[in-house]
Amino acid sequence: MSETGPGVSNISVTGGAGGSDAFYEDLAAMGDLTDDVAGSTLTIAMTSHKYLVDPDVLASGILNPGGLAKFEATMLGALDGPSGLTATSAAIGVRGLTLQATNQAYQFVDDLNAKALEAGRWLAGAAVAINPGLAVLGVGAIATDVYLNYDGDWQKWLVEHPGMIDTILGMSPGALSALGLPTDLATLTEFLALAYPDGDPKLIDQGQDLDPRTATPPQNLGDLMDGLDYRNSQNSDKPGEGSNIDVRAIKDANGNITGYVVDIPGTKVWNLPGQDGGNANDFGTNIDGIAGNETVLQEGIEQALRDAGVPKDAPVMLVGHSQGGIVAARAANDFVNNGTYNVTHVVTAGSPVGNIPIPDSVQMLSLENNGDVVPHLDARENPDADNRTTVKFDNQTNTAGGNHAISGPDGQDGNYEAAARQIDSGNDPSVRRFVDSAGAFLNGESADSHQYKVERQP
């Protein structure tokens, strides 16, 4: 990646209404519709044949033999001629089959490419473990790249090569398998999660929050990032202090609640295995979330929604940064599948969520800075699904922290917030459909925000 200096650029969007999955659905729908038209046309042709032998029509031949012959010939041509209804029906049917086959072929190739990439990384890891000489070559290649591009700033070099994280993590299962420890990345993270204590959530009610950044209803994606940035600034690693989630009730002009927005900031404590500082935003929550486990932070969010009196059928949007995005995605999947809460929308920023399943009823928008290392920690791209939109952009600050931050220095619009505001003013169909579908959260007239601190207790 070339250095472009600060500022958001090169925005690209995959998935959603303009993604491949939506295109596949359109192909399938066109194929089904074409089949229906072919069937209807054939039915008309078969039904119309009866007029060729209709007694009244045949009887008319006594008075006008020439007219009857002309009618019969014209009717036969219209029904069974080269351009008749029967031939047209067959042609339409073939076109429907072609559309369906094309749809299946496209999906097969996409799935094959994804599996080939995963398998390629696995085999590369296995090859390195079996033949250490290959590892030497790999290290040599990296060293050459470092030598050619390294200017003494390791952070700058790392954020300019974030794809290395995907490759190394993707190779690790193959390397371990070659050493006699058959595993995959999910099993590996699950094993690591065992080294961190689970504990139970301790929910502390920190009262109403009157700060304008959460006490006013968001009107767009940029406002959502602004509120998340504020909640992140309120998060504290000290027990009993600050707040790490809030439940914001969005109200219309009549004071009726239309939906609830929950902000979930990222990691606050980077503890080693076996250590427990009592903080729900610790490294253990990261590992548990990536491994697919219910985290203590997710349990605390469920308690907060219950304490806030959120009805089970009320629309809920979960908004998370980094670790908060992992927890938001996991919670959305669990809450919907268990019938706990009606999560309809999820927004993530700088989160590795490619491996997390999302119910079809949930619309999800993920923001990823190409120079942010964190979204690469799951070693895979986000699915290109019609309910999952991924927005990637460049904002190279040459530091890991700057590339991962929600906003710029001193709370100024920057990085993820700046990217959100740029796509707010754009016309990408996937982004627009997501925003349009989120009216319960983005069209409010007022908001009541209640803040909580979730801690981990043994």
Side-chain angles (χ1 to χ4, degrees), residues 299 301-310 340-341:
E299 294 177 22
I301 293 169
E302 184 176 345
Q303 284 191 20
L305 289 170
R306 187 165 54 249
D307 286 8
V310 177
T340 310
Y341 286 104

Side-chain angles (χ1 to χ4, degrees), residues 28-44:
M30 289 171 63
D32 292 342
L33 178 61
T34 304
D35 279 347
D36 291 342
V37 173
S40 298
T41 305
L42 182 59
T43 299
I44 293 173

Side-chain angles (χ1 to χ4, degrees), residues 183-214:
T183 187
D184 53 24
L185 194 57
T187 304
L188 197 60
T189 51
E190 176 66 34
F191 179 77
L192 183 57
L194 296 175
Y196 286 89
D198 291 328
D200 295 312
K202 176 184 177 182
L203 185 68
I204 303 173
D205 188 335
Q206 300 291 47
Q208 190 175 13
D209 193 339
L210 300 177
D211 189 278
R213 295 172 74 177
T214 54

Side-chain angles (χ1 to χ4, degrees), residues 30 114 175 231 236 287 375 417 442 444:
M30 289 171 63
R231 186 58 52 206
S236 172
I287 299 299
E417 184 175 346
L442 301 179

Side-chain angles (χ1 to χ4, degrees), residues 120-340:
R121 288 172 175 169
W122 192 98
L123 289 171
V128 166
I130 294 171
N131 186 352
L134 294 175
V136 173
L137 290 175
V139 171
I142 294 174
T144 300
D145 185 62
V146 172
Y147 176 76
L148 294 175
N149 299 283
Y150 188 61
D151 61 359
D153 187 338
W154 69 269
Q155 277 199 83
K156 178 175 178 293
W157 184 84
L158 178 62
V159 297
E160 287 181 346
H161 302 78
M164 286 183 54
I165 303 297
D166 300 80
T167 301
I168 293 172
L169 288 175
M171 289 172 59
S172 58
L176 290 173
S177 294
L179 296 174
L181 299 171
T183 187
D184 53 24
L185 194 57
T187 304
L188 197 60
T189 51
E190 176 66 34
F191 179 77
L192 183 57
L194 296 175
Y196 286 89
D198 291 328
D200 295 312
K202 176 184 177 182
L203 185 68
I204 303 173
D205 188 335
Q206 300 291 47
Q208 190 175 13
D209 193 339
L210 300 177
D211 189 278
R213 295 172 74 177
T214 54
T216 55
Q219 300 300 308
N220 48 46
L221 298 172
D223 289 350
L224 288 174
M225 288 296 105
D226 190 42
L228 182 61
D229 186 50
Y230 167 73
R231 186 58 52 206
N232 185 60
S233 70
Q234 299 305 297
N235 192 9
S236 172
D237 58 355
K238 297 180 180 178
E241 292 188 8
S243 56
N244 55 357
I245 61 171
D246 65 340
V247 179
R248 211 180 333 174
I250 309 300
K251 299 181 179 181
D252 61 18
N254 297 319
N256 299 314
I257 296 176
T258 59
Y260 295 85
V261 176
V262 180
D263 295 315
I264 315 167
T267 310
K268 201 68 178 178
V269 176
W270 299 90
N271 48 322
L272 296 174
Q275 295 180 342
D276 180 13
N279 197 295
N281 290 100
D282 65 355
F283 195 67
T285 292
N286 282 326
I287 299 299
D288 262 334
I290 292 177
N293 300 327
E294 183 180 43
T295 65
V296 69
L297 184 54
Q298 177 180 323
E299 294 177 22
I301 293 169
E302 184 176 345
Q303 284 191 20
L305 289 170
R306 187 165 54 249
D307 286 8
V310 177
K312 290 190 174 183
D313 59 347
V316 175
M317 172 187 279
L318 303 178
V319 185
H321 171 242
S322 191
Q323 174 193 94
I326 299 173
V327 174
R330 290 287 180 197
N333 186 61
D334 292 347
F335 289 172
V336 170
N337 288 331
N338 297 335
T340 310

